[in-house]
Amino acid sequence: SRYYLVKTHLPLVRLIARRFANSGNDLSELIAAGNEALVKASLRFNPNKELSHHLNSRKLTKFGTYASVWIRGAMRKVDPI
């Protein structure tokens, strides 16, 4: 379920937020923005969608990789202190 998906990927949000905190942003604001993005990513994620890579190989997208794009994008929009 989506609840389980979000709950198990919360450490990913904290990991990415710690990296962004070095740029002068408040850690709690980064985590809040990342959590919102994680929920949004869980709503939009399609586990059956395949990514086409070169040489006609197909690979399924992992949720963590998909969510990290959303999380980083949300954290980039947080205004520095």
Side-chain angles (χ1 to χ4, degrees), residues 1-10 35 38-39 42 63:
S1 76
R2 295 199 193 281
Y3 173 78
Y4 178 77
L5 200 60
V6 170
K7 184 178 175 184
T8 57
H9 285 82
L10 287 174
N35 287 341
L38 182 62
V39 171
S42 73
F63 178 72

Side-chain angles (χ1 to χ4, degrees), residues 37-70:
L38 182 62
V39 171
K40 185 182 278 190
S42 73
L43 295 172
R44 295 177 179 231
F45 182 65
N46 180 1
N48 298 320
K49 186 175 181 180
E50 295 179 343
L51 290 178
S52 296
H53 295 285
H54 55 350
L55 302 177
N56 295 328
S57 62
R58 294 193 178 266
K59 187 175 184 181
L60 293 176
T61 308
K62 292 185 178 181
F63 178 72
T65 304
Y66 181 80
S68 67
V69 173
W70 284 90

Side-chain angles (χ1 to χ4, degrees), residues 17 25-36 74-75 78-81:
N25 291 317
D26 183 35
L27 186 61
S28 61
E29 289 183 20
L30 290 170
I31 291 174
N35 287 341
E36 289 177 20
M75 289 182 186
V78 173
D79 292 327
I81 296 173

